[in-house]
């Protein structure tokens, strides 16, 4: 199922061109506070060092710089936080600092072309009207890259994008970021030089973190109980919902049980070999063993999908997920199904069959995509309500996917405060000489530095 519909073969995904509509932008700005209140878990949004962003916008509007905001992506509600930052907090701080900014303070943005497939076609229209441009992950999307590149160098507003590529569900872990943002930065420098323009090109890291207004210990215990029942475990009652030691034992037991179920699932029905490392006596060793088992399981899940699509297991888990996603889309969105082509009913039926098969194989990839950033030490080393909640919700995602439900509609554990941090801008222009000497190395170095910059925005207290 995709967005509640039966999977059938379809024509190729069309590019959705950005088409900024001032009326839609203004309407969205008016609706945003009500949307945040009634449709999200966000209670408040605050940001540090917004004066840096105000100065950058002033320089941008003076024609001195071009820049892209690279924001952390722990949560599906991150876009709301970003536009609140730009539409509400930025103008306010600019006024306080005596910085004159032209209104509206907005940004073009890059989004995953797959979002409208599960969120609805209306989202694709809205993103287009707000000046967003789509990108197809996992392949050389020439049209999408060309559009993003053009907006970076020539767009009315700065750019913003999430270099992690997808949400990872963790406030205090940054997933390995993808090199695309760094490459776009160097392309922008190149395009400006060809046009004999002297603007500097910058990438600005933006941190986003969520904290519960009230620690949701009771809600976490309730969700754990639900998951225990759904996975066939006997529920362990706690005397206090916030008894961290017992809650951790329950969370660990649930995770280990699900891991065992999935290991047996792949052994029995997909004939996969999963090594069983032996746990030592200490709890630390047990945690290490569980982490190894999880990594082995994720590898096997990807191999099951890769064998179907005849793809080599090349690169890290994220690289493999992106290639599998594109392979699946190639089976579902078919060139021969364009309106100009005629297929017989039998050919159409076969195309639908392979689309259904592809979607089933992509299910394995979605499991890995959800758990690629999970580590069992995350809760153990700092048993906060946030870390308990994040890990429990990821396990809920897994159970929901197994049951055939939609993991994008998570249960709410309570209202949250959003804390944003503007990091120090990274000059891409200053690295142009390095890029000309060795492009691949320059992109890799910039990507590594951006990764560290995003990690530095994380507050761990």
């Amino acid at each position: 199922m995709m967005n509640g519909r039966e999977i059938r073969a379809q024509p190729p995904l069309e590019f959705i061109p950005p088409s900024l509509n001032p009326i839609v932008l203004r309407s969205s700005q008016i609706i945003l506070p009500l949307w945040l209140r009634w449709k999200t878990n966000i209670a408040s949004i605050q940001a540090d060092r917004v004066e840096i962003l105000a100065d950058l916008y002033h320089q941008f509007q003076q024609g001195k710089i071009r820049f892209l905001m690279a924001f952390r992506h722990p949560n599906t509600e991150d876009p709301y936080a970003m536009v609140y930052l730009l539409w509400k907090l930025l103008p306010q701080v600019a006024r306080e600092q005596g910085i004159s900014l032209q209104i509206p303070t907005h940004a073009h943005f890059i989004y995953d072309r797959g979002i409208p497939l599960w969120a609805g076609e209306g989202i694709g229209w809205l993103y287009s009207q707000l000046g967003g441009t789509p990108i197809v992950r996992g392949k050389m999307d020439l049209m999408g890259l060309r559009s993003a590149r053009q907006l970076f160098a020539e767009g009315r507003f700065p750019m913003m994008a999430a270099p992690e590529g997808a949400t990872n569900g963790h406030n205090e872990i940054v997933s390995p970021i993808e090199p695309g943002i760094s490459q776009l930065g160097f392309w922008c420098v190149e395009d400006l030089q060809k046009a004999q323009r002297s603007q500097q090109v910058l990438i600005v890291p933006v941190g986003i973190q969520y904290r519960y207004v009230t620690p949701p210990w009771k809600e976490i215990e309730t969700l754990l109980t639900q998951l225990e029942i759904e996975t066939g475990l006997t529920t362990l009652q706690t005397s206090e919902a916030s008894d961290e030691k017992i809650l951790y034992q329950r969370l660990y037991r649930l995770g280990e049980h699900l891991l065992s179920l999935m290991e047996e699932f792949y052994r029995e029905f997909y004939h996969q070999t999963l090594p069983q490392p032996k746990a030592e006596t200490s709890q630390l060793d047990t945690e290490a063993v569980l982490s190894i088992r999880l990594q082995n399981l994720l590898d096997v899940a990807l191999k099951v999908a890769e064998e179907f699509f005849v793809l080599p297991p090349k690169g890290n888990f994220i690289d493999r997920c992106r290639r599998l996603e594109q392979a699946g889309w190639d089976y579902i969105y078919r060139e021969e199904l364009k309106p100009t082509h005629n297929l017989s009913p039998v050919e159409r039926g076969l195309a639908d069959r392979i689309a259904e098969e592809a979607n089933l194989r992509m299910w394995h990839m979605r499991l890995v995509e959800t758990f690629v950033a999970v580590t069992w030490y995350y809760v153990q080393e700092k048993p906060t309500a946030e870390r308990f909640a994040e890990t429990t919700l990821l396990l809920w995602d897994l159970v929901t996917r197994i049951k055939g439900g939609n993991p994008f509609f998570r249960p709410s554990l309570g209202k949250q405060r959003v804390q944003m941090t503007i990091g120090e801008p990274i000059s891409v222009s200053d690295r142009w000489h390095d890029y000309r000497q060795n492009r691949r190395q320059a992109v890799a170095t910039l990507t590594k530095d951006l990764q560290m910059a995003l990690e530095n925005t994380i507050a761990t207290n």
Side-chain angles (χ1 to χ4, degrees), residues 3-249:
N3 196 28
R5 298 191 299 269
E6 180 184 357
I7 291 299
R8 300 190 64 194
Q10 300 175 51
L13 290 174
E14 294 183 356
F15 177 72
I16 306 174
S19 181
L20 183 65
N21 185 324
I23 296 176
V24 174
L25 173 58
R26 182 54 185 158
S27 300
S28 299
Q29 291 174 322
I30 294 172
I31 293 171
L32 179 64
L34 293 175
W35 186 270
L36 289 174
R37 182 178 304 172
W38 299 110
K39 294 293 185 178
T40 76
N41 293 321
I42 296 174
S44 64
I45 302 174
Q46 298 179 327
D48 293 331
R49 297 158 57 92
V50 182
E51 62 275 7
I52 293 176
L53 196 58
D55 179 63
L56 291 172
Y57 261 81
H58 180 71
Q59 292 186 62
F60 180 93
Q61 293 176 354
Q62 295 294 313
K64 297 178 180 178
I65 63 172
R66 309 290 300 184
F67 70 92
L68 179 147
M69 291 165 281
F71 63 92
R72 273 238 51 218
H73 202 10
N75 195 305
T76 55
E77 295 182 344
D78 299 335
Y80 303 132
M82 285 299 299
V83 294
Y84 188 89
L85 169 67
L86 300 182
W87 297 346
K88 302 293 183 181
L89 300 181
L90 175 59
Q92 175 184 331
V93 170
R95 288 192 296 270
E96 293 171 355
Q97 296 290 321
I99 299 173
S100 176
L101 294 182
Q102 302 168 19
I103 301 299
T105 48
H106 185 51
H108 298 289
F109 56 95
I110 302 170
Y111 65 94
D112 174 17
R113 179 60 180 85
I115 291 177
L117 300 182
W118 60 263
E121 295 180 358
I123 292 297
W125 175 87
L126 176 63
Y127 284 0
S128 170
Q129 299 293 294
L130 290 176
T133 188
I135 194 78
V136 177
R137 304 183 302 180
K139 76 168 188 177
M140 184 61 71
D141 180 8
L142 296 179
M143 190 171 293
L145 290 172
R146 190 179 302 118
S147 176
R149 183 171 178 170
Q150 185 271 330
L151 286 174
F152 200 167
E154 302 175 14
R156 176 183 172 187
F157 301 109
M159 295 284 287
M160 66 179 182
E164 289 169 277
T167 60
N168 73 356
H170 290 305
N171 271 301
E172 297 178 14
I173 296 178
V174 181
S175 293
I177 67 174
E178 300 176 6
I181 298 302
S182 299
Q183 183 61 70
L184 275 177
F186 285 117
W187 280 341
C188 186
V189 175
E190 181 179 2
D191 292 341
L192 294 177
Q193 290 195 354
K194 288 181 178 178
Q196 297 184 343
R197 292 161 55 189
S198 60
Q199 291 111 316
Q200 293 287 301
V201 177
L202 307 171
I203 294 178
V204 185
V206 180
I208 304 178
Q209 288 183 276
Y210 296 78
R211 293 286 182 265
Y212 285 97
V213 175
T214 302
W217 293 112
K218 184 62 179 177
E219 290 80 3
I220 293 169
E221 186 192 28
T222 299
L223 185 56
L224 269 175
T225 300
Q226 174 192 330
L227 294 174
E228 287 167 343
I229 293 171
E230 292 182 346
T231 57
L233 281 173
T234 302
T235 300
L236 298 176
Q237 297 297 329
T238 58
S239 57
E240 294 290 338
S242 60
D243 188 329
E244 296 170 3
K245 184 176 180 179
I246 296 179
L247 274 181
Y248 180 75
Q249 290 175 352

Side-chain angles (χ1 to χ4, degrees), residues 41 74-75 168-171 212 216 219-220 223-224 226-227 251 254 258 370-371 374 379 385-401 407-414 416:
N41 293 321
N75 195 305
N168 73 356
H170 290 305
N171 271 301
Y212 285 97
E219 290 80 3
I220 293 169
L223 185 56
L224 269 175
Q226 174 192 330
L227 294 174
L251 184 64
L254 175 62
L258 280 167
T370 300
F371 282 86
V374 169
V379 176
E386 278 74 21
R387 292 195 178 195
F388 266 106
E390 291 165 21
T391 305
T392 305
L393 285 170
L394 285 172
L395 293 177
W396 180 89
D397 290 347
L398 172 60
V399 171
T400 300
R401 285 192 184 279
F408 294 107
F409 299 104
R410 283 178 158 190
S412 171
L413 299 182
Q416 294 176 298

Side-chain angles (χ1 to χ4, degrees), residues 182 185-186 189 201-203 426-432 446:
S182 299
F186 285 117
V189 175
V201 177
L202 307 171
I203 294 178
I426 301 172
S427 173
V428 184
S429 299
D430 288 350
R431 301 165 184 252
W432 178 245
L446 178 54

Side-chain angles (χ1 to χ4, degrees), residues 277-297:
K278 294 182 180 180
E280 301 297 332
T281 55
S282 71
Q283 182 64 30
L284 179 62
D285 291 329
T286 303
E287 298 284 354
V289 168
L290 204 62
S291 294
I292 293 171
R293 288 174 61 191
L294 177 59
Q295 295 302 301
N296 290 338
L297 177 69

